[in-house]
Amino acid sequence: MPTPADHTALELAMCEYDRDDPRRIQHFVKVHAFARTIALAEGVDADTLHTVEAAAIVHDAGIHESERRYGDTAGPHQEALGPDVARPMLEAAGYPPEEVERVCWLVAHHHQYAHIEALDHQILVEADFLVNIYEDAPTDPGQRRRMAAAARERVFRTATGTRLLEAQFLA
């Protein structure tokens, strides 16, 4: 099954989609970097790595549509609208149909933390948390610490994600 050698076309498409919104572009770039690091350190296979990286790039594709339709960025709205935004980007970038479907499923579930059963889902959620904890409280280390402690108990399961969480917020 041929897959794109890298994610350049997808990253550029997502940058174009998020045009004039540097906060969102910076967000997906950071989530992608953490997802890749966690996946590699956890030893995932090449196909899983490719899928989790693609999902990290487009995980918040539903935000702009959520703002247009509902006036908010609520997780359930993002999840409901994101796959329809991400799918054409993935297809245009040459991702195979099976990977497109898996990435869209991950986009549609990246705010669902209970009953995570697949490693690609776990990695995406942890990477998003690592970025969101900082972005949600950039000037309040105490708040970040409380958020990180709660996330460690409720969400984090990989050794690498936990290590990154502790290094940033719980040292």
Side-chain angles (χ1 to χ4, degrees):
M1 145 179 49
T3 60
D6 63 39
H7 302 285
T8 304
L10 186 61
E11 289 175 299
L12 292 172
M14 195 64 191
C15 282
E16 187 60 34
Y17 177 73
D18 280 339
R19 175 180 285 280
D20 202 32
D21 193 344
R23 181 175 187 260
R24 299 261 163 68
I25 293 169
Q26 294 287 321
H27 177 81
F28 84 72
V29 168
K30 291 183 283 188
V31 172
H32 174 231
F34 279 127
R36 179 176 171 76
T37 297
I38 295 167
L40 288 170
E42 294 295 318
V44 303
D45 63 81
D47 289 339
T48 301
L49 174 63
H50 199 269
T51 299
V52 81
E53 285 190 79
I57 293 164
V58 298
H59 76 282
D60 278 345
I63 283 183
H64 292 298
E65 192 60 26
S66 178
E67 289 174 325
R68 280 191 279 281
R69 288 192 195 185
Y70 303 109
D72 66 35
T73 61
H77 294 154
Q78 288 181 43
E79 290 177 330
L81 300 169
D84 287 342
V85 176
R87 182 174 279 105
M89 284 190 245
L90 292 156
E91 291 170 347
Y95 290 79
E98 313 81 47
E99 189 171 14
V100 170
E101 291 311 309
R102 183 61 185 166
V103 170
C104 287
W105 185 93
L106 290 166
V107 168
H109 294 87
H110 79 278
H111 286 285
Q112 297 177 29
Y113 317 129
H115 311 297
I116 295 174
E117 296 177 8
L119 188 54
D120 58 356
H121 186 198
Q122 184 67 44
I123 291 168
L124 178 60
V125 165
E126 290 181 10
D128 198 26
F129 259 88
L130 289 169
V131 176
N132 284 335
I133 289 169
Y134 181 77
E135 290 179 350
D136 289 350
T139 61
D140 188 343
Q143 178 65 13
R144 290 194 306 263
R145 185 177 217 24
R146 289 185 295 277
M147 292 164 61
R152 182 176 55 193
E153 296 305 313
R154 290 185 3 250
V155 177
F156 279 69
R157 299 291 174 260
T158 71
T160 306
T162 302
R163 181 176 173 194
L164 291 167
L165 179 79
E166 291 173 350
Q168 287 184 84
F169 307 115
L170 300 170

